[in-house]
Amino acid sequence: MSAPGSSHWRRARVTLNSNALSHNLSRVRQFSPHSQIMAVIKANAYGHGMLAAASQLDDADMFAVAMPEEAFVLRASGCTKSLLVLHGFSNITELEKFAALKISTVVHQSQQLAQLLDARLPGPVDAWLKVDTGMRRLGVSMADVDVCFSQLRSSANVENVYLMSHFANADNVSDPLNNSQLNDFIKVTNNCGVSRSMANSAAIMRFPQSHFEVVRPGIMLYGSSPFSDASAADLELRAVMQFESVLIDIKPVRAGESIGYGSTFTAEKDLLMGIVAAGYGDGYPRHAQNGTPVWLNGQRCDLLGRVSMDSISIDLNNVAASIGDRVVLWGNELSVDEVAAASGSIAYELLCHAGAAHFSM
Ligand SMILES: *Cc1c(COP(=O)(O)O)cnc(C)c1O
């Protein structure tokens, strides 16, 4: 998979393992064999490059993006698959373009609904009515589902109507909100007789009752685990993004000396430190703590001190290293989930940032 628009002037590199993307898609099929797969490729496919990801995910049944512009770019690149815009249109010009390009829209609030019902379109669009069952983000209230659904059903501007909702806590299977959201969704949609969709990656893997006709995997496609108690390897998911750089210096640090901005790490004993040419300018998380794992020559090294814009420091005491050696920040050898956990963040954010630093669309 090529990466158009890579930042050639940086030494850190983001490359993609396209086979892993296909493998992870096949894992989605194994977890939800009776559902269609709407692969979520918003935010530039979680930093992996939307167009590259879309072509590699050709076996998916449809794609979801967040913004209209993302769907327009996909169509302009020749993508003919079913496309859903999760935020829907925000004005009539966008809606007309959806109709012209056969892009499906989410309808999540009453102003959108009114615009859709009143529009004069070149042809009808497919609409996914989004129901807020407890996420409290986008979606019409449960009390309004019946009315919104029948208005969409009877509008000449709408071809097919579908129903969807989104979990707030699917990554924690024992959270009671999951069942409450599922039951409420069933309650307000059961007589509608159309395809429904609720499950994100976490629900695909641990909440099969929520699969319905269409599942919406995001993070699992990219080889990250949404759970704190199961690694990507446990779930047989493979890392798609490989984030690497090189060692550019090796030097001794004496006991009592501190390292980097803010002197947040002080050596308790003499050690050998390596400098790696990757920092928050490459999308490496600035909040990574002392001890965050960094892979070098088959060993895991500890991050030492604060992350700089263009470099990080690591402890080389357990590893034979030379200047120029390849360093893996995350990827096959080291899960992005571990780096995220050590940074007070989630893989979603790390992948988006590293991708944004290295890829354009
Ligand atoms: C991002 C998103 C998904 C995918 O979620 P993952 O946790 O990445 O699987 C599914 N549905 C909606 C509405 C989303 O915004």
Side-chain angles (χ1 to χ4, degrees):
M1 227 154 25
S2 74
S6 316
S7 304
H8 296 294
W9 55 86
R10 299 203 65 91
R11 280 197 264 219
R13 285 276 173 265
V14 169
T15 55
L16 303 181
N17 177 1
S18 46
N19 293 333
L21 202 50
S22 301
H23 165 84
N24 297 335
L25 180 62
S26 72
R27 290 295 288 150
V28 178
R29 288 246 184 255
Q30 289 167 354
F31 279 106
S32 51
H34 306 297
S35 304
Q36 289 199 299
I37 299 178
M38 181 189 290
V40 180
I41 53 172
K42 65 193 180 191
N44 208 16
Y46 293 44
H48 293 69
M50 180 180 70
L51 295 180
S55 63
Q56 188 66 30
L57 290 170
D58 198 44
D59 282 345
D61 299 291
M62 40 195 131
F63 291 135
V65 291
M67 312 292 169
E69 202 58 41
E70 296 172 311
F72 302 155
V73 168
L74 280 162
R75 281 287 183 264
S77 82
C79 172
T80 54
K81 208 176 279 296
S82 256
L83 291 181
L84 176 62
V85 175
L86 294 168
H87 283 193
F89 59 91
S90 55
N91 56 55
I92 195 72
T93 315
E94 282 177 359
L95 175 57
E96 285 167 356
K97 218 164 158 186
F98 281 27
L101 296 173
K102 293 267 170 241
I103 293 167
S104 309
T105 186
V106 163
V107 172
H108 63 80
Q109 36 93 326
S110 53
Q111 192 178 315
Q112 266 177 338
L113 177 63
Q115 276 182 334
L116 177 52
L117 299 177
D118 293 346
R120 308 186 60 150
L121 299 179
V125 294
D126 283 354
W128 287 76
L129 180 61
K130 184 159 190 178
V131 186
D132 180 9
T133 54
M135 173 71 177
R136 308 285 174 247
R137 195 172 62 179
L138 302 183
V140 302
S141 72
M142 294 193 287
D144 293 337
V145 172
D146 271 353
V147 171
C148 297
F149 182 77
S150 29
Q151 287 180 315
L152 288 168
R153 252 342 233 311
S154 51
S155 167
N157 286 331
V158 180
E159 183 136 32
N160 299 294
V161 187
Y162 307 103
L163 289 152
M164 66 185 289
S165 190
H166 192 56
F167 287 112
N169 299 333
D171 54 333
N172 178 8
V173 74
S174 61
D175 191 306
L177 186 58
N178 294 321
N179 269 313
S180 143
Q181 287 193 259
L182 176 63
N183 292 334
D184 284 345
F185 186 62
I186 291 172
K187 197 161 52 188
V188 297
T189 63
N190 230 11
N191 298 321
C192 295
V194 299
S195 288
R196 291 180 281 183
S197 176
M198 247 193 135
N200 59 3
S201 298
I204 288 166
M205 292 186 279
R206 291 198 169 162
F207 201 23
Q209 310 93 291
S210 72
H211 286 177
F212 296 101
E213 288 74 28
V214 179
V215 295
R216 305 193 305 269
I219 197 70
M220 70 182 289
L221 291 173
Y222 307 103
S224 155
S225 166
F227 308 116
S228 55
D229 64 349
S231 69
D234 294 338
L235 302 165
E236 292 177 47
L237 300 172
R238 294 194 199 139
V240 178
M241 183 185 288
Q242 186 74 18
F243 187 19
E244 298 186 351
S245 193
V246 291
L247 199 62
I248 56 169
D249 199 6
I250 298 175
K251 60 173 49 151
V253 177
R254 287 184 201 293
E257 291 178 345
S258 52
I259 290 174
Y261 288 122
S263 302
T264 60
F265 176 86
T266 302
E268 282 174 5
K269 52 183 174 47
D270 293 355
L271 61 82
L272 199 59
M273 174 180 73
I275 314 281
V276 180
Y280 61 81
D282 298 290
Y284 193 84
R286 201 187 79 89
H287 296 286
Q289 295 298 304
N290 282 313
T292 300
V294 175
W295 187 97
L296 169 63
N297 293 338
Q299 304 290 323
R300 296 155 66 102
C301 304
D302 286 350
L303 180 75
L304 301 177
R306 229 173 242 172
V307 172
S308 293
M309 185 181 286
D310 303 301
S311 68
I312 54 174
S313 303
I314 60 175
D315 186 342
L316 294 180
N317 269 11
N318 297 317
V319 52
S322 314
I323 289 173
D325 282 354
R326 180 175 79 101
V327 176
V328 178
L329 303 158
W330 61 71
N332 281 326
E333 298 82 353
L334 175 68
S335 172
V336 64
D337 293 321
E338 287 191 62
V339 181
S343 311
S345 187
I346 52 176
Y348 301 70
E349 185 186 32
L350 272 57
L351 295 171
C352 282
H353 285 175
H358 293 274
F359 294 152
S360 67
M361 189 77 85

